[in-house]
């Protein structure tokens, strides 16, 4: 008999609620080791004994063969005295809710459950709520910790004997799957359409028929309702756009399979993996045919695509296919304008009854409303544009911790951040806080997250902007307040993600943020050194006549830039560009610029992009924020057409003067060059100028590491070009990967600022 050893194994990471204990149990029987496994405060603890070889194989396989939805951060092993135990057991998780328990994020339908769902002889054939330890609802149904069925919105459903047997069997895929259910005992769908009611299979079949017929419907999904319709029926899209007051803003589509995604769009390896991942975000894919999907994503080269991520979606697409339809469905957040996504039938009735001609709902309540996440590939990494379903409440691990704090985020694309030790928990995407319903959503979500994480923040970080709703919300809370400049927070979101310490340089390009000098910043070069930050450079200020309205009436910033670039000669040199603008308005705005009345100065990169999209002839007005920039990026054809010049002006702050670029672009337009050429020259010139500025600041400070952030860096061409040029110049370039580069990631930077005690030194 070989000598027997006993070891204690601590596994940390996302290891609860993802089938980890049954996984360990199965390995124990595979390798014939004895002992036990349990969930505890810090993760999963195992004690195992057996001969050395078997024990080592067992320990190796714990992480090597880990369940698909789990994430192993560390495995630590210590030696114990053998106890002579026989058999292997899953023991109960002990006592009170563990302080560091991690609530798993929602997991997309797994391959095993999909197979059962589509097998006619299976007892869960086309059952829209099938799930197992590898998939299914988590965060959206959890009300409190520990994560057990009574603490979820499944508490009202009593398991039938068949489900209970699966739930109790350590060798079953549904062992301790808290939302386990079947048609006998679980939730059910209900369709309300034109005064008629349908349930079960009939509800799904009828829904499929209504969608095929071109109707718009509200579908209850995982984190809220979708508004759904065929992507190829203009009438349906027109109705949807009218109801949401979104004449052009892109809508995501759901396609039944990866093959269908590939039929519509180019799909890289990374993008395919993202589409099929358990997070299952909307992935921005390049359309195969430029100009296609003009109803879902007009004027854009990319289309947001997702795969069916719940059994309800998969069952619906199976029935659509049975009725001969395999095309994409538009699936957009079921909300009114920019309000929170609807999560129950009364909300749908109140907010969406004007647009949805039918409602497919179910009786498994949504506790935490969560929108779809949006991801895109750039510079070889998958990045998030919106971090919500599938990612929340996953933590971002920080290099160091501190006292618990709340970072309130910014007002657009709001998400807040709570820290617990060295973990940062970003909330799901809340949205635009100028919308009162979103402020309610914010407060509701903050209360829920605080309860789930069991944290009471003692520090409250918030944006420097005195008039932001998020600032007002921060001021109303107890705790020490730490105001954080918007662009410093953007850059620190990168530093926090990468565990980067001082010194480093940051370039933050975005729409707008309140500057340390009271002006509207938006293209900032910042230096972080010895726990202080200072501004080292920026886009030369230009006027923003009318303020925020310039983000929609994009000819306004264009006029300010053209006037600055040409001086008094502007009418003769470029006046014809503005013939499309109502002349009375033009004269008023011209006077505003000259008198400096209601014309704040800005260094906004978003508005610079807007202005160039106007000059290029792409559009005169935008109907959603960043429409001009997104359409400008969409024009790029990958060919080189040269670059416009931005002048670098040294001084106490390095300034990027867009004057030469404005003059050249106006001349190109008037000479009849296409928007494609103008966009390409603008992108190339800007990337060149930005990297030159970074290299200039690097040589002045001796700092070799740079962080790029801000919403404008979601522009793939710009991000890749600046990264390539700066790297070639010997700089190490870091960017956002796990949190959005837009304002959705800013709370992480605010949190890191407050944790590290950064100070302003301007
Ligand atoms: Zn499953
Ligand atoms: Zn059942
Ligand atoms: Fe921003």
């Amino acid at each position: 008999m070989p000598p027997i050893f006993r070891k204690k194994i601590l596994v940390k990471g996302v290891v609860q609620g993802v089938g980890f204990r049954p996984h360990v149990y199965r390995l124990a029987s595979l390798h014939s080791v004895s002992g036990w496994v349990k969930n505890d405060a810090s993760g999963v603890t195992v004690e195992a004994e057996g001969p050395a070889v078997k024990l080592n194989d067992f320990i190796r396989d714990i992480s090597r063969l880990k369940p698909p939805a789990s994430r192993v951060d560390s495995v630590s092993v210590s030696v114990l005295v053998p106890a002579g135990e026989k058999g292997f057991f899953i023991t109960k998780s002990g006592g009170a809710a563990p302080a560091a328990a991690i609530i798993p994020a929602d997991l997309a339908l797994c391959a095993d459950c999909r197979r059962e769902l589509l097998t006619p002889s299976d007892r869960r054939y086309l059952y829209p709520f099938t799930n197992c330890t590898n998939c299914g609802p988590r965060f959206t149904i959890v009300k409190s910790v520990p994560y057990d069925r009574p603490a979820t919105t499944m508490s009202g459903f009593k398991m039938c004997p068949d489900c209970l047997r699966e739930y109790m069997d350590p060798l079953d895929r549904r062992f301790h799957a808290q939302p386990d259910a079947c048609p006998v005992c679980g939730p059910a769908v209900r369709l309300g359409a034109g005064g008629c009611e349908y349930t079960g299979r009939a509800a799904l079949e009828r829904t499929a028929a209504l969608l095929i017929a071109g109707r718009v419907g509200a579908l209850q999904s995982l984190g809220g309702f979708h508004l759904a319709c065929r992507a190829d029926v203009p009438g349906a899209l027109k109705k949807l756009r009218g109801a949401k007051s979104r004449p052009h803003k892109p809508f995501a589509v759901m396609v039944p399979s990866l093959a269908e995604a590939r039929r519509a769009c180019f799909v890289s390896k990374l993008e395919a993996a993202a589409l099929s991942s358990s997070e299952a975000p909307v992935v921005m894919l390049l359309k195969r045919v430029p100009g296609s999907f003009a109803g879902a994503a007009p004027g854009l080269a990319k289309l947001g695509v997702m795969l069916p991520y719940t059994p309800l979606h998969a069952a619906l697409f199976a029935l659509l296919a049975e009725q001969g339809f395999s095309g994409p469905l538009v699936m957009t957040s079921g909300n009114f304008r920019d309000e929170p996504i609807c999560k129950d039938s009364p909300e749908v009735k109140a907010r969406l009854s004007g647009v949805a001609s039918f409602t497919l709902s179910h009786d498994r309540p949504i506790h935490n409303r969560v929108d779809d996440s949006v991801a895109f590939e750039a510079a070889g990494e998958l990045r998030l544009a919106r971090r919500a379903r599938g990612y929340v409440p996953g933590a971002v691990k920080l290099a160091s911790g501190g006292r618990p704090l709340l970072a309130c985020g910014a007002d657009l694309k709001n998400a807040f951040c709570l820290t617990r030790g060295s973990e940062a928990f970003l909330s799901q995407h809340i949205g635009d806080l100028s919308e009162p319903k979103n402020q309610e959503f914010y407060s509701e979500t903050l209360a829920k997250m605080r309860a789930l994480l069991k944290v009471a923040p003692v520090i409250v970080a918030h944006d420097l902007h005195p008039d932001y709703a998020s600032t007002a919300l921060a001021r109303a809370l107890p705790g020490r307040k730490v105001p954080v400049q918007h662009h410093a927070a953007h850059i620190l979101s990168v530093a926090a993600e990468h565990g980067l310490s001082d010194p480093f340089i940051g370039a933050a390009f975005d729409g707008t943020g309140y500057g340390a000098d009271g002006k509207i910043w938006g293209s900032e070069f910042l230096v972080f050194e010895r726990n202080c930050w200072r501004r080292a450079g920026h886009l030369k200020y230009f006027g923003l006549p009318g303020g925020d309205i310039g983000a929609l009436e994009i000819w306004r910033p264009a006029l300010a830039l053209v006037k600055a670039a040409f001086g008094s000669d502007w009418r003769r040199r470029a006046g014809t560009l503005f013939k499309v603008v109502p002349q009375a308005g033009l004269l008023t705005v011209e006077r505003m610029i000259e008198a400096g009345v209601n014309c704040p100065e800005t260094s906004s990169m978003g508005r610079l992009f807007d202005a160039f999209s106007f000059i290029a002839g792409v559009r005169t007005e935008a109907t959603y924020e960043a429409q001009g920039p997104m359409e400008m990026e969409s024009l790029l054809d990958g060919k080189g057409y040269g670059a416009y010049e931005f002048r670098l002006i040294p001084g106490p702050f390095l300034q990027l003067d867009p004057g030469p670029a404005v003059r050249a672009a106006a001349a190109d337009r008037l000479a009849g060059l296409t928007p494609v050429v103008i966009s390409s020259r603008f992108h190339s010139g800007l990337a060149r100028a930005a990297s030159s500025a970074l290299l200039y600041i690097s040589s002045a400070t001796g700092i070799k590491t740079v962080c790029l952030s801000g919403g404008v860096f979601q522009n793939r061409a710009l991000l890749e070009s600046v990264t390539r040029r700066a790297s070639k110049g010997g700089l190490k370039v870091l960017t956002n990967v796990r949190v959005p580069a837009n304002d959705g990631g800013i709370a992480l930077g605010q949190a890191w600022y407050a944790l590290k005690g950064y100070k302003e030194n301007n």
Side-chain angles (χ1 to χ4, degrees):
M1 240 275 305
I4 297 294
F5 297 90
R6 187 178 182 89
K7 288 185 177 171
K8 182 174 191 159
I9 304 130
L10 297 174
V11 190
K12 290 187 182 175
V14 180
V15 291
Q16 295 187 10
V18 289
F20 214 90
R21 289 173 303 161
H23 153 69
V24 172
Y25 181 92
R26 281 189 288 272
L27 287 179
S29 54
L30 180 73
H31 295 293
S32 346
V33 299
S34 55
W36 51 260
V37 56
K38 71 170 185 186
N39 280 344
D40 60 21
S42 51
V44 163
T45 300
V46 187
E47 284 194 18
E49 71 179 73
V53 176
K54 291 191 165 178
L55 203 51
N56 288 343
D57 288 352
F58 168 74
I59 293 169
R60 180 201 60 203
D61 285 351
I62 287 178
S63 49
R64 194 173 69 102
L65 303 176
K66 68 182 172 63
S70 66
R71 190 188 78 221
V72 173
D73 291 339
S74 69
V75 177
S76 52
V77 180
S78 52
V79 179
L80 300 173
V81 178
E85 194 172 24
K86 293 276 170 282
F88 197 89
F89 306 93
I90 295 176
T91 54
K92 241 185 131 93
S93 13
I102 295 172
I103 309 293
D106 300 285
L107 302 162
L109 181 67
C110 76
D112 290 331
C113 286
R114 181 186 308 272
R115 206 171 304 119
E116 289 175 354
L117 182 82
L118 301 177
T119 302
S121 59
D122 195 277
R123 72 187 188 95
R124 290 188 176 88
Y125 178 56
L126 297 185
Y127 178 58
F129 304 95
T130 181
N131 66 83
C132 72
T133 47
N134 298 323
C135 75
R138 299 287 189 274
F139 177 61
T140 49
I141 60 164
V142 67
K143 295 199 267 192
S144 61
V145 284
Y147 171 66
D148 279 322
R149 189 166 174 119
T152 71
T153 61
M154 282 298 290
S155 59
F157 297 94
K158 193 175 178 307
M159 275 188 211
C160 71
D162 285 337
C163 286
L164 193 62
R165 198 173 309 119
E166 296 163 339
Y167 183 85
M168 301 299 281
D169 177 1
L171 291 179
D172 193 282
R173 204 170 87 248
R174 295 189 169 89
F175 175 71
H176 279 212
Q178 306 302 344
D180 187 16
C182 77
V184 174
C185 65
V189 285
R190 200 177 66 197
L191 170 69
C196 297
E197 287 237 348
Y198 304 80
T199 54
R201 179 89 48 87
L204 293 175
E205 273 165 1
R206 184 78 191 128
T207 299
L210 288 165
L211 285 168
I212 291 173
R215 307 282 281 278
V216 178
L219 307 183
Q220 186 168 0
S221 196
L222 195 54
F225 277 76
H226 278 127
L227 282 168
C229 69
R230 283 173 68 151
D232 59 349
V233 174
L237 277 158
K238 198 174 160 209
K239 189 174 178 194
L240 196 51
R241 291 199 172 280
K244 292 191 75 164
S245 313
R246 282 182 167 194
H248 307 115
K249 199 168 177 174
F251 292 145
V253 302
M254 187 178 276
V255 294
S257 64
L258 197 52
E260 286 299 325
R262 288 189 200 282
R263 201 187 299 277
C265 297
F266 297 102
V267 185
S268 74
K269 238 172 127 175
L270 196 63
E271 290 163 341
L275 284 166
S276 318
S277 68
S278 57
E279 291 87 1
V282 172
V283 181
M284 302 305 301
L285 301 175
L286 189 64
K287 296 173 186 170
R288 271 189 192 275
V289 180
S292 60
F293 294 94
L300 301 178
K302 287 186 197 166
L303 176 70
V305 178
M306 60 184 150
L307 296 184
Y309 57 82
T310 67
L312 193 155
H313 299 144
L316 181 61
F317 271 101
L319 291 168
L320 284 164
E322 233 167 60
Q323 297 179 39
F325 180 81
S326 65
L329 291 179
V330 161
M331 287 265 205
T332 188
S333 304
N335 53 5
F336 179 67
R337 290 171 184 261
D338 292 323
E339 290 180 354
I341 187 167
C342 294
K343 73 179 177 78
D344 52 38
S345 296
E347 285 183 359
V348 170
K349 208 166 192 178
R351 324 297 300 170
L352 304 178
S353 57
V355 57
S357 52
F358 64 91
T359 302
L360 180 71
S361 60
H362 60 72
D363 54 358
R364 186 185 69 202
I366 296 168
H367 184 69
N368 295 303
R369 60 179 106 216
V370 187
D371 259 300
D372 290 320
S373 294
V374 181
F376 64 101
E377 182 182 351
E381 301 256 25
L382 187 79
R383 298 157 196 280
L384 291 173
R386 182 198 283 166
R387 190 177 178 279
R389 177 186 50 77
Y391 296 93
V392 176
V396 176
K397 190 96 181 104
L398 302 172
S400 59
R403 305 178 70 196
L405 67 82
L406 165 70
C408 295
D411 268 23
L412 285 174
K413 298 185 173 66
N414 179 274
F416 61 79
C417 177
L418 283 164
T419 68
R420 187 175 68 184
S422 59
E423 286 177 309
F425 297 88
L426 269 108
S427 75
Q428 66 268 44
H429 166 82
I430 305 278
D432 182 351
L433 288 187
S434 67
E435 171 56 57
K437 286 238 180 272
N438 286 333
Q439 295 180 19
E440 287 168 28
F441 180 28
Y442 183 105
S443 301
E444 161 198 319
T445 306
L446 180 57
K448 284 176 178 173
M449 289 280 274
R450 277 189 51 170
L452 279 181
L453 298 169
K454 297 191 184 301
V455 286
V458 295
I459 299 165
V460 181
H462 62 85
D463 196 279
L464 187 64
H465 201 307
D467 304 327
Y468 263 2
S470 54
T471 303
L473 287 162
R475 286 189 183 135
L477 294 170
R480 184 166 65 84
K481 309 299 180 295
V482 180
V484 185
Q485 199 281 322
H486 190 93
H487 302 96
H490 268 308
I491 296 306
L492 286 174
S493 74
V494 179
E497 263 198 58
H498 295 275
L500 179 66
S501 21
D502 297 346
F504 50 88
I505 302 167
F509 290 179
D510 72 350
T512 55
Y514 190 80
D517 60 359
K519 296 194 197 305
I520 303 170
W521 289 11
S523 314
E524 308 309 315
F525 295 90
L526 310 176
V527 172
F528 293 77
E529 228 172 349
R530 289 183 291 274
N531 243 32
C532 285
W533 73 273
R534 64 183 172 83
R535 192 188 203 192
H538 61 89
L539 183 70
K540 193 178 165 199
Y541 285 132
F542 58 96
L544 192 52
D548 286 343
I549 190 149
L552 298 179
E553 295 185 9
I554 60 174
W555 57 270
R556 289 170 177 260
L559 182 64
L561 281 158
V562 163
K563 270 177 69 70
F566 289 109
S568 57
D569 209 17
W570 80 271
R571 263 184 199 283
R572 195 178 59 83
R573 305 274 300 277
T576 49
L577 293 179
F578 292 88
K579 275 198 308 208
V580 287
V581 178
Q583 292 305 297
L586 189 71
L587 275 175
T588 311
V589 169
E590 200 190 346
R591 262 183 244 121
M592 279 163 81
I593 297 168
E594 278 161 9
V597 174
N598 190 14
C599 188
E601 290 196 292
T602 186
S603 52
S604 166
M605 183 56 74
R607 297 302 83 77
L608 185 79
F609 261 91
D610 283 336
F612 272 85
S613 75
F614 173 84
I615 295 169
V618 174
R619 63 176 40 260
T620 310
E621 301 208 342
T623 65
Y624 62 90
E625 202 231 346
Q627 183 176 11
M630 284 164 68
E631 291 179 354
M632 283 283 274
E633 185 191 1
S634 290
L635 291 170
L636 300 176
D637 60 4
K639 299 193 189 119
Y641 297 98
Y644 293 141
E645 189 202 340
F646 288 72
R647 206 158 54 96
L648 294 192
I649 309 170
F653 298 119
L654 179 69
Q655 289 186 78
L656 259 68
D657 176 12
V662 170
R663 288 191 290 272
D668 280 354
R669 169 80 189 291
L670 294 171
L673 268 71
T674 63
V676 173
V677 174
I678 298 175
S679 175
S680 171
R681 290 180 175 172
F682 171 67
H683 274 87
S684 302
L686 182 61
R688 192 176 287 183
S691 40
S692 300
L694 286 167
L695 287 164
Y696 177 93
I697 295 165
S698 168
S699 67
T701 56
I703 302 170
K704 294 280 183 200
T705 306
V706 304
C707 300
L708 309 178
S709 190
V712 172
F713 278 114
Q714 293 173 108
N715 181 314
R716 179 174 181 168
L718 188 69
L719 182 80
E720 292 182 345
S721 178
V722 174
T723 302
R724 195 172 50 242
R725 286 167 185 277
S727 308
K728 223 186 244 171
L731 303 182
K732 184 182 173 198
V733 180
L734 297 173
T735 51
N736 291 111
V737 177
R738 301 185 57 199
V739 305
N742 62 41
D743 285 6
I746 216 165
L748 180 67
Q750 293 173 342
W752 193 233
Y753 187 102
L755 274 176
K756 299 294 280 183
Y758 274 101
K759 297 269 177 298
E760 184 194 331
N761 182 21
N762 275 301

